[in-house]
Amino acid sequence: PEAVVKAIAELARHKVQIVKIWVDDQQGNMWKLRRPNYKAIIDEAHKNKMRVFAHIHDLDDAKRLIEAGVDAFGHSVRDREVDAALIKMMKEKKVPLFATLVREESGFMYGKDKTFVDDEHLKRHLAPEIVSGLKDPAFVTKTQSDPKRPAFEAMLKMAQKNLKTLAAAGVTIAFGTDSG
């Protein structure tokens, strides 16, 4: 938390408008940003007229982030179904969800559906080396045999279900790809 003031001041000098924080441990494979740190980021960013979006995965983190003052979620809850408490919090605090379903799908789609790589729109907008890389048999095999693939598929299904629940409840939904 002590480093936050300096870091946010540097972002403010560059006229940054949105800070995205990562509150997800990638199924125990990464360190997760803790509440004292993200609360300090949110508070300091707000003092500098910046909004804070959070990359989330877990329902409990989503609730704690809203309590801390987060402005938006960059991904859906994917560990379990959203509940009435989260829906109420999102609506009361006007916290939108950027539904980035393609983020989950990208974890397994390249090995599953190869036809999209021949799409003319995609070819026009991607560098040729990226398109050829997506068609590379070694890449396709690696993607198809990734041990995390079932987890990505389950996360997509949960994200889809939660998106439907949140939208039906009147939570503001925004769209984004998270594709860079």
Side-chain angles (χ1 to χ4, degrees), residues 24-140:
D24 178 6
D25 66 4
Q26 295 284 288
Q27 292 81 49
N29 294 311
M30 292 178 59
W31 177 84
K32 186 189 293 191
L33 190 63
R34 305 283 190 255
R35 181 179 169 84
N37 295 332
Y38 66 69
K39 178 71 172 134
I41 293 168
I42 292 167
D43 290 347
E44 196 61 30
H46 287 170
K47 285 180 195 172
N48 284 276
K49 299 187 180 5
M50 295 178 206
R51 293 180 294 161
V52 180
F53 290 16
H55 169 112
I56 60 163
H57 181 274
D58 298 348
L59 177 64
D60 293 337
D61 290 329
K63 291 175 182 177
R64 285 191 289 269
L65 280 156
I66 291 174
E67 289 168 352
V70 78
D71 298 295
F73 291 133
H75 308 287
S76 187
V77 169
R78 291 160 281 156
D79 69 325
R80 58 189 165 171
E81 291 181 32
V82 294
D83 60 16
L86 179 69
I87 292 167
K88 182 178 183 215
M89 293 170 82
M90 290 179 78
K91 289 174 74 172
E92 283 178 356
K93 300 291 184 177
K94 295 182 169 75
V95 175
L97 166 69
F98 281 78
T100 56
L101 297 178
V102 74
R103 180 190 182 281
E104 269 56 67
E105 192 174 30
S106 69
F108 62 87
M109 72 180 279
Y110 298 114
K112 189 174 186 177
D113 176 9
K114 297 174 211 132
T115 59
F116 79 94
V117 233
D118 292 320
D119 180 85
E120 290 305 316
H121 179 76
L122 184 74
K123 287 181 184 177
R124 254 191 329 273
H125 293 54
L126 283 181
E129 60 271 16
I130 293 176
V131 174
S132 63
L134 293 172
K135 290 181 172 187
D136 183 333
F139 175 76
V140 172

